[in-house]
Amino acid sequence: MKKTLLLGILILLSACDDGDLQIENVDFELIALESCGDEEDPLDTTFFFKTDDDDAYLLELESGLLFNQTSTEGALTSSLGGSSDLIYRFFSDDVSSDYFCSTIPATEPTVLSESTAAAGDIAINTKVTAVSKDVKTYSHTILITGLVLTNEQNESITDTSSFTYGTFKTSTPTSQNLEVPFSNYGAITSLSECDSEIIAGSLRFYKKINDEYISLDVPLSIFVNEATVVDEPRTSTLENGEFKYTILDAVVTDDMICTTAALSEEIISYNFVSSGGTINVVTEASEPDAAGAITYAHTISLDNTILVLKAQNEDDTDVTLTAIESFIIGTYTTVGN
């Protein structure tokens, strides 16, 4: 008998009289995605499968499509029947994950029929879906469009819709939980500055990486065109959230940082804010140039910074983190005579 795969609207391109094109009447979108978990780095995982009794869908994904960072639409794609492969198998009996993940190939159940993807497009949509005080969790949603399955008799069946094959989750430390807190921001040499005062009497500096950023509101009074004495930096306190570490489930833009307005309701933010610590500014003066102008380099660092992860929901509570001893934000330059 013939069977229909409910992954969307399927159009039978060619049928067979003896029913060799056997595809179970199963909605695979409702079945959890699995992997063997045998990669040292989960981001290297390329083999995924979904099983339901005696049916299985196997995906061999092109490598290099999984990243612990939020993706933009259309950035991560692959083609079935080309760089990636999808196979539907119908077995003689129920099949489990052990069948696909065992180091010794299983002899039972046996494969009764197999259909392979001849065409189709894959897109990977990745974004942050959970944040704890230590870990960011990413969900990699695998979408398939225009799937064409062909069996050994060259009979084909097509799903013209777009459907979700499944979601694979990975995690990575938050920036403040790195071995050296916020060391990933050290590679960003330039310190960005908001064009206008977000907090009266302060300058907001920031650095951003994909779906997260750090920002610091520094009092204007702390920047003086005069070199500081060794071991005597100018200081200010971090008592009222002057420093923020923010993670979004979207790619960060400058406008999201340089505003007091609420983000779009479609964007979820996870906010670490300072409740204690010290801002230090060490100023060095250059030699006068030909016009007599002196450049002052103000190196900004934070000491004993206490961050609080703000609760996402009313039923949750804020989480206070262990103080971070010291880290450098960056350098701000001014020019004077």
Side-chain angles (χ1 to χ4, degrees):
M1 69 177 183
K2 294 186 175 67
K3 301 172 183 180
T4 304
L5 173 65
L6 298 179
L7 283 172
I9 301 174
L10 291 175
I11 302 173
L12 191 61
L13 297 184
S14 62
C16 53
D17 292 334
D18 57 5
D20 287 335
L21 187 57
Q22 297 188 51
I23 300 179
E24 284 289 351
N25 184 19
V26 175
D27 188 348
F28 274 83
E29 284 193 302
L30 302 179
I31 301 170
L33 185 69
E34 297 184 75
S35 69
C36 293
D38 52 359
E39 298 290 347
E40 183 175 348
D41 184 350
L43 293 174
D44 292 333
T45 304
T46 57
F47 177 61
F48 303 94
F49 58 92
K50 306 182 85 168
T51 62
D52 185 79
D53 298 332
D54 53 4
D55 296 90
Y57 249 106
L58 318 176
L59 174 65
E60 185 62 43
L61 186 66
E62 179 183 354
S63 63
L65 292 178
L66 302 181
F67 300 91
N68 280 334
Q69 61 184 36
T70 295
S71 63
T72 55
E73 186 175 352
L76 303 173
T77 60
S78 185
S79 298
L80 291 171
S83 302
S84 298
D85 294 306
L86 183 70
I87 298 173
Y88 165 78
R89 285 180 182 169
F90 176 55
F91 290 86
S92 61
D93 202 348
D94 291 355
V95 64
S96 69
S97 58
D98 291 340
Y99 177 93
F100 302 106
C101 298
S102 176
T103 54
I104 301 175
T107 57
E108 295 290 340
T110 58
V111 178
L112 297 183
S113 66
E114 180 174 288
S115 299
T116 304
D121 296 314
I122 291 179
I124 311 294
N125 291 334
T126 299
K127 67 177 182 178
V128 176
T129 51
V131 172
S132 70
K133 67 182 183 66
D134 297 323
V135 173
K136 298 165 65 176
T137 298
Y138 285 89
S139 290
H140 312 269
T141 301
I142 304 171
L143 304 174
I144 296 178
T145 304
L147 174 63
V148 178
L149 287 173
T150 303
N151 68 3
E152 294 93 335
Q153 287 74 40
N154 203 34
E155 298 154 343
S156 297
I157 193 168
T158 297
D159 184 352
T160 59
S161 69
S162 178
F163 63 90
T164 301
Y165 176 72
T167 298
F168 181 62
K169 293 186 177 182
T170 58
S171 61
T172 188
T174 54
S175 293
Q176 61 81 26
N177 194 41
L178 297 174
E179 185 174 352
V180 178
F182 299 110
S183 56
N184 51 334
Y185 284 89
I188 304 174
T189 55
S190 59
L191 189 62
S192 299
E193 174 191 346
C194 293
D195 293 334
S196 58
E197 291 183 19
I198 309 304
I199 304 297
S202 296
L203 287 178
R204 177 167 293 181
F205 299 101
Y206 64 92
K207 293 181 178 181
K208 64 181 190 289
I209 300 176
N210 184 243
D211 48 32
E212 65 172 54
Y213 67 90
I214 56 175
S215 65
L216 178 66
D217 294 309
V218 183
L220 287 166
S221 59
I222 207 170
F223 297 117
V224 179
N225 284 344
E226 182 179 322
T228 52
V229 177
V230 176
D231 295 331
E232 293 184 15
R234 300 185 188 91
T235 64
S236 183
T237 60
L238 286 172
E239 295 177 345
N240 300 304
E242 290 84 359
F243 176 75
K244 297 180 179 68
Y245 168 45
T246 302
I247 301 169
L248 306 179
D249 68 343
V251 176
V252 175
T253 65
D254 293 346
D255 291 341
M256 295 176 181
I257 306 171
C258 295
T259 182
T260 57
L263 296 173
S264 165
E265 292 182 357
E266 298 177 353
I267 298 175
I268 298 175
S269 64
Y270 305 87
N271 303 290
F272 298 75
V273 300
S274 60
S275 65
T278 304
I279 303 173
N280 296 317
V281 172
V282 173
T283 303
E284 295 180 343
S286 71
E287 293 296 325
D289 62 14
I294 300 173
T295 297
Y296 296 90
H298 310 277
T299 300
I300 308 165
S301 63
L302 304 184
D303 284 350
N304 301 314
T305 306
I306 299 174
L307 294 179
V308 177
L309 174 57
K310 305 301 289 185
Q312 287 292 109
N313 305 301
E314 291 182 0
D315 295 336
D316 298 335
T317 57
D318 295 347
V319 178
T320 300
L321 283 61
T322 303
I324 302 171
E325 184 176 348
S326 181
F327 62 97
I328 293 175
I329 296 293
T331 299
Y332 172 62
T333 59
T334 56
V335 177
N337 292 318

